[in-house]
Amino acid sequence: EKPVEKVVEKPVEKVVEKTVVVEKEKEVTKVVEKVVEKAVTAAPVKGELRIASINDPSVNAVMNILLAGFSAVYPEVKTKLEYQIGDYAEKVYAQAAAGNLPDVIWSADIFTVPFVGNNVVLDLMPFAEKDATFKLDDIYPAILGLGRVEGNPGLFMLPASLDVVTMYYNKTAFEKAGAELPSPDWTWDDFIRNGLKIIAEKDKTGKPNVWAMSNAGWSWWAWVCPWLVGYGSDYLSKDGKKSMWSEPKSLEAMEAYTSLWTKHGIAMPLGTDVGGDPFILGKVATFFHIPGLRKSFRENIGDKFEWDVQLMPKMPDGKHRTGMGTYGFSIYAKSKQPQLAWDFIKYLCSPTAQLIIAKSYAGAPLLKSLANDPEWLNLPPPPANNRAFTDGAADAILPRTYPLECGSLYTGEVNQAISTALESVLRGKATVQEAFTEVDKRIQPCLDKHAK
């Protein structure tokens, strides 16, 4: 027992010292002591846990946190990390069909519906409900929704971060243009009014030196679909049986969204190449994305300009409508050691792991109990306004579920129909009404056939 106690205790105490605020140290230490006691008294667990993932810097940073936390409790279990090269979904399906998919698999909201529909992943709810150390009700319901399927009570992925799409803005560009800095009270009219000031300075060819808005997510559902909700509509009826892109309020929403390019000209045109990331290069004044980009921006922008983050502008419904998208981890449906796999992924949603992720600028805490924790709110800027990442969750929307045969907002016929319509409008080849009437014509037959 002594060797186990020595191995378990040291790494856990080290993590606590690095990540827990002083006033919470005693409370967290008690939890750690319970974990140590359980590990000491139980028979040592041995074996191998296989983990499938992608080789991505931000994912690798979180993976290292998981590996450290798991090895502290299970020092005699070997973890084998298997990077999947090429089309990730195809690799997962191929290994699942062969019955040799790793126990733990990296996933994302894009894969939740197809992985569940193809019986690739386990329902995590039974594990969460039986695990007294796991606080499911402390996780923001909205972010948990990205690991669920509409109409299914199960939970199929634990998310890594509270990934609310938020406005990154170039403070230097706004000030140089004499524009107001974005505020929580901004509407999209305010955004447009100040965006016009930013694009006023032109180069020799007549193009803006700095565009007010990036084009990087022009067809991403997390940019597009919140406009429908903010205008009092949606893209699917409540029962999921009717496509609603050509409804009057939907058309009004798409007119407003696409006008950022077609009417006001403040968004960077499609196909514009500035030789790299437009926001990092200072070629766009705003970019809408998740908190995990903070680390990259801090490293690559440096002192070239000042930047911060702010809530998305308000829609006509008075809400800061935006989308959410995240990655996380799931358990293979035929894993021979699902409990061990659960013990690996559950650490992701622990206060210790979430603070480590937040303090490394790799994400925002998905636990409600950490919302006001100064350990991450008062991190050295930029950004200074970290609270925008958690405040934005209140008005954020989740992707709706289409029948598997129809695709999703990310893939298949649904995605292709929406992207084609948007591009035709932004390139001046169709009106909003023409383009999005066609979207319904393409999607509705599939809903008629497969929606239940």
Side-chain angles (χ1 to χ4, degrees):
E1 291 182 352
K2 287 185 178 180
V4 177
E5 181 176 3
K6 183 177 180 181
V7 173
V8 172
E9 197 169 4
K10 283 188 177 180
V12 175
E13 287 183 348
K14 184 177 181 181
V15 172
V16 171
E17 290 174 2
K18 283 187 176 182
T19 64
V20 180
V21 291
V22 175
E23 59 266 31
K24 292 185 178 180
E25 190 169 50
K26 291 182 179 179
E27 177 186 342
V28 175
T29 301
K30 289 179 181 178
V31 174
V32 171
E33 287 172 352
K34 289 179 181 179
V35 173
V36 172
E37 181 182 353
K38 181 179 179 181
V40 171
T41 57
V45 178
K46 299 181 180 181
E48 180 180 82
L49 186 72
R50 295 172 58 216
I51 306 158
S53 188
I54 60 172
N55 192 3
D56 175 86
S58 61
V59 175
N60 291 343
V62 172
M63 179 64 74
N64 289 336
I65 295 170
L66 286 175
L67 290 170
F70 182 76
S71 63
V73 180
Y74 292 103
E76 296 189 44
V77 175
K78 179 183 177 181
T79 51
K80 183 181 180 183
L81 185 57
E82 302 177 23
Y83 289 123
Q84 308 297 305
I85 309 300
D87 188 305
Y88 184 76
E90 286 187 7
K91 295 285 185 179
V92 168
Y93 291 137
Q95 287 183 289
N100 64 352
L101 187 64
D103 305 286
V104 173
I105 62 173
W106 175 88
S107 190
D109 54 308
I110 182 176
F111 300 124
T112 300
V113 173
F115 281 0
V116 172
N118 287 287
N119 301 311
V120 173
V121 293
L122 273 182
D123 181 2
L124 304 177
M125 284 302 293
F127 297 94
E129 291 170 347
K130 289 189 295 185
D131 194 329
T133 68
F134 189 76
K135 307 299 182 184
L136 187 66
D137 60 355
D138 192 25
I139 304 174
Y140 288 98
I143 201 68
L144 273 181
L146 293 171
R148 299 185 187 276
V149 173
E150 196 171 330
N152 187 322
L155 175 64
F156 302 92
M157 176 187 73
L158 288 187
S161 166
L162 185 65
D163 287 339
V164 180
V165 175
T166 307
M167 183 198 302
Y168 288 83
Y169 70 93
N170 183 329
K171 184 178 179 182
T172 302
F174 273 84
E175 291 176 337
K176 183 180 178 181
E180 303 164 18
L181 295 181
S183 77
D185 296 324
W186 262 26
T187 64
W188 278 99
D189 286 340
D190 295 315
F191 183 91
I192 293 167
R193 176 168 51 81
N194 286 281
L196 290 171
K197 294 180 181 180
I198 290 170
I199 67 168
E201 185 177 313
K202 305 290 197 296
D203 62 18
K204 293 179 180 179
T205 66
K207 296 178 181 178
N209 287 325
V210 179
W211 296 94
M213 174 179 150
S214 173
N215 64 6
W218 65 272
S219 64
W220 185 20
W221 79 267
W223 279 27
V224 180
C225 297
W227 286 79
L228 299 173
V229 177
Y231 272 73
S233 188
D234 207 336
Y235 47 95
L236 265 180
S237 59
K238 290 183 179 180
D239 62 8
K241 295 182 178 182
K242 182 182 180 183
S243 182
M244 299 177 61
W245 287 94
S246 60
E247 294 292 313
K249 289 184 178 179
S250 296
L251 294 177
E252 185 182 358
M254 288 300 92
E255 284 283 6
Y257 175 65
T258 57
S259 74
L260 300 173
W261 283 268
T262 59
K263 179 181 178 181
H264 306 293
I266 60 173
M268 177 178 277
L270 303 192
T272 303
D273 184 2
V274 295
D277 184 298
F279 188 75
I280 291 175
L281 294 175
K283 296 297 184 180
V284 294
T286 65
F287 178 50
F288 315 136
H289 220 287
I290 61 175
L293 268 68
R294 292 176 300 162
K295 182 177 176 62
S296 173
F297 286 169
R298 283 172 58 84
E299 293 173 350
N300 292 292
I301 293 173
D303 60 1
K304 285 185 281 189
F305 58 82
E306 291 186 70
W307 61 276
D308 205 346
V309 294
Q310 188 51 271
L311 293 169
M312 295 294 286
K314 291 180 181 179
M315 296 282 185
D317 68 352
K319 304 290 186 181
H320 299 279
R321 294 300 181 190
T322 187
M324 303 178 76
T326 192
Y327 70 87
F329 295 89
S330 303
I331 300 175
Y332 174 37
K334 295 181 180 179
S335 170
K336 295 179 180 179
Q337 41 196 5
Q339 184 59 52
L340 203 59
W342 167 254
D343 288 346
F344 179 86
I345 68 173
K346 76 173 185 179
Y347 182 67
L348 184 64
C349 297
S350 69
T352 301
Q354 283 296 303
L355 276 177
I356 296 174
I357 291 171
K359 290 175 71 175
S360 63
Y361 299 93
L366 51 70
L367 301 178
K368 291 178 281 187
S369 59
L370 296 179
N372 298 312
D373 197 310
E375 282 287 284
W376 81 278
L377 283 177
N378 298 332
L379 285 170
N385 186 27
N386 284 304
R387 188 176 292 278
F389 293 116
T390 51
D391 287 352
D395 296 340
I397 70 167
L398 300 176
R400 299 284 305 279
T401 301
Y402 285 88
L404 192 61
E405 297 84 353
C406 304
S408 71
L409 293 173
Y410 290 103
T411 61
E413 180 65 13
V414 169
N415 172 268
Q416 292 171 15
I418 298 168
S419 296
T420 299
L422 281 169
E423 184 171 8
S424 67
V425 174
L426 297 186
R427 293 190 183 281
K429 295 180 178 180
T431 66
V432 165
Q433 184 165 354
E434 291 169 345
F436 288 95
T437 296
E438 184 63 25
V439 171
D440 283 346
K441 287 181 180 179
R442 291 181 63 174
I443 296 175
Q444 191 58 50
C446 187
L447 294 178
D448 292 339
K449 186 176 181 180
H450 299 289
K452 298 179 181 179

